[in-house]
């Protein structure tokens, strides 16, 4: 991200046994995380972003939390192409997306992606 003014710390945590997806699924998951981290830094002016991936038996949970400015979800819901694209991607993955944000206190984005079906390469 070329717009960084000050250093940003990104902390990554992985819990559980990672699994491989078909390439198009892996790219979609990567883009969800990338867009969330970019939004936290660019729009939220975050100085610290935490990315946590949790592998459960049937679900992969991904949490992206930041200490940035936060935002009013009702104000940006249908105006942000980034959020619209994220919603489209999570729908294609048959997953869920939940965004909690508080002005002045940061944002937490949670993705729940099912691991069942044809998603996992054997």
């Amino acid at each position: 991200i070329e717009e960084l003014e000050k250093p940003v710390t990104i902390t990554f945590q992985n819990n559980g046994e990672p699994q491989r997806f078909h390439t198009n699924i892996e790219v979609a998951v990567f883009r969800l995380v990338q867009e969330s981290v970019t939004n936290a830094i660019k729009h939220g002016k975050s100085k610290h972003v935490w990315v946590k991936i949790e592998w459960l038996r049937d679900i992969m949970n991904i949490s992206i939390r930041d200490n940035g400015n936060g935002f009013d979800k009702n104000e940006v819901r249908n105006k942000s192409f980034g959020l619209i694209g994220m919603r489209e991607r999570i729908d294609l993955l048959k997953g869920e997306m939940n965004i909690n944000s508080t002005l002045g206190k940061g944002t937490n984005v949670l993705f729940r992606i099912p691991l069942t079906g044809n998603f996992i390469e054997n």
Side-chain angles (χ1 to χ4, degrees):
I1 301 170
E2 63 278 345
E3 301 173 13
L4 295 179
E5 295 176 17
K6 297 194 178 190
V8 175
T9 301
I10 298 176
T11 302
F12 178 77
Q13 181 180 0
N14 184 51
N15 294 332
E17 189 62 37
Q19 300 178 44
R20 295 302 307 252
F21 295 109
H22 296 286
T23 302
N24 58 335
I25 302 300
E26 287 184 350
V27 169
V29 170
F30 174 79
R31 294 286 184 222
L32 286 168
V33 174
Q34 181 183 41
E35 182 71 23
S36 299
V37 170
T38 299
N39 286 344
I41 297 168
K42 184 177 177 182
H43 301 296
K45 308 289 188 232
S46 302
K47 301 297 179 233
H48 200 150
V49 180
W50 295 265
V51 177
K52 179 180 177 183
I53 299 178
E54 181 180 46
W55 299 87
L56 303 175
R57 187 172 59 177
D58 297 328
I59 296 281
M60 176 175 57
N61 292 321
I62 304 172
S63 172
I64 300 95
R65 182 172 53 93
D66 68 67
N67 66 349
N69 297 332
F71 64 95
D72 182 344
K73 282 194 324 185
N74 295 321
E75 272 188 31
V76 280
R77 177 170 286 148
N78 296 319
K79 298 176 186 172
S80 168
F81 291 115
L83 291 178
I84 292 168
M86 289 166 61
R87 195 153 307 279
E88 289 173 356
R89 277 197 177 92
I90 200 68
D91 287 346
L92 288 172
L93 297 170
K94 297 181 178 23
E96 301 171 18
M97 178 173 79
N98 187 14
I99 300 174
N100 291 310
S101 189
T102 303
L103 286 172
K105 295 191 177 183
T107 300
N108 188 10
V109 180
L110 176 64
F111 301 109
R112 293 177 51 83
I113 301 168
L115 297 177
T116 55
N118 296 321
F119 293 133
I120 301 172
E121 290 185 348
N122 294 326

